[in-house]
Amino acid sequence: LNGCLQAFTKEEVLTHGNEYRCPTCKKMQRGKKKLDLWRLPNILIVQLKRFQYTRAWRDKIDTNVDYPLEGLDMAPWTKSKEFKRNAIYDLYAVSCHGGGLGGGHYWAYAKNLVDGHWYTLNDSSVRRMSKESVKTREAYLLFYARRGFDGNRAARAAQAKSPKTTK
């Protein structure tokens, strides 16, 4: 995952077909693009690029990405000193995709915060699974929560602020 984050934040030169028109000289120019993370959310969702499209072909990318179940440190990836201080995340869910571009199937893994066990959620079935099986090359979306974040407390606070509706 660190390699993916490094590639995501790496400066790149825009290639042919992605030039921009210079407002001064009015000519097409090759520019540079750089993405940085300035703030970190309480809930971090990472989408792994699993589908590749070019003009000539399309393909599913099934490269294995090693991602931590606990202790993802996002401090190296944020520019804000404030957010570097509390930048540790723990995985709580994974959305997976099996199959190819012509057809496939989605399912999820989720950690039960009450009993601490991981579960497979697949259509109408739910079954307990081993922690080691959570890491899969079929992972598509990774859901992390900032360590110490209390989602229940945040939900109650948001609900208290929302206008009451009557039926």
Side-chain angles (χ1 to χ4, degrees):
L1 186 57
N2 281 325
C4 294
L5 291 166
Q6 185 174 21
F8 180 73
T9 57
K10 181 181 178 185
E11 183 178 278
E12 60 182 292
V13 176
L14 298 176
T15 59
H16 179 70
N18 290 312
E19 299 93 346
Y20 73 97
R21 183 173 303 281
C22 174
T24 306
C25 71
K26 309 294 187 215
K27 293 181 181 176
M28 297 303 285
Q29 301 289 329
R30 293 178 88 184
K32 294 179 181 178
K33 177 178 84 170
K34 172 91 169 81
L35 299 173
D36 287 315
L37 301 175
W38 287 91
R39 300 172 61 160
L40 296 173
N42 287 321
I43 301 297
L44 176 68
I45 302 170
V46 177
Q47 179 181 353
L48 300 175
K49 183 178 178 180
R50 290 297 190 195
F51 303 100
Q52 182 174 7
Y53 302 94
T54 66
R55 290 183 181 178
W57 57 280
R58 302 166 197 219
D59 198 15
K60 182 174 178 191
I61 302 168
D62 65 353
T63 304
N64 188 47
V65 176
D66 186 24
Y67 48 91
L69 301 184
E70 297 173 338
L72 171 63
D73 185 3
M74 290 297 292
W77 309 111
T78 183
K79 297 292 183 184
S80 168
K81 290 181 183 177
E82 174 190 352
F83 285 93
K84 285 183 184 289
R85 283 180 285 200
N86 187 14
I88 304 298
Y89 288 80
D90 297 318
L91 189 72
Y92 69 90
V94 179
S95 178
C96 302
H97 179 268
L101 292 174
H105 182 70
Y106 290 92
W107 68 95
Y109 303 145
K111 185 175 184 179
N112 182 317
L113 299 180
V114 175
D115 69 13
H117 295 291
W118 283 89
Y119 291 85
T120 300
L121 302 103
N122 192 347
D123 293 336
S124 61
S125 70
V126 176
R127 63 180 170 77
R128 194 165 141 183
M129 63 184 292
S130 71
K131 184 177 179 178
E132 296 75 29
S133 299
V134 175
K135 291 188 177 188
T136 174
R137 70 177 48 247
E138 294 171 316
Y140 179 56
L141 295 169
L142 305 174
F143 297 83
Y144 285 93
R146 186 190 309 265
R147 192 169 283 172
F149 172 67
D150 185 350
N152 289 327
R153 191 176 87 204
R156 286 190 303 274
Q159 188 176 31
K161 290 180 184 178
S162 69
K164 302 288 184 217
T165 58
T166 58
K167 292 184 180 183

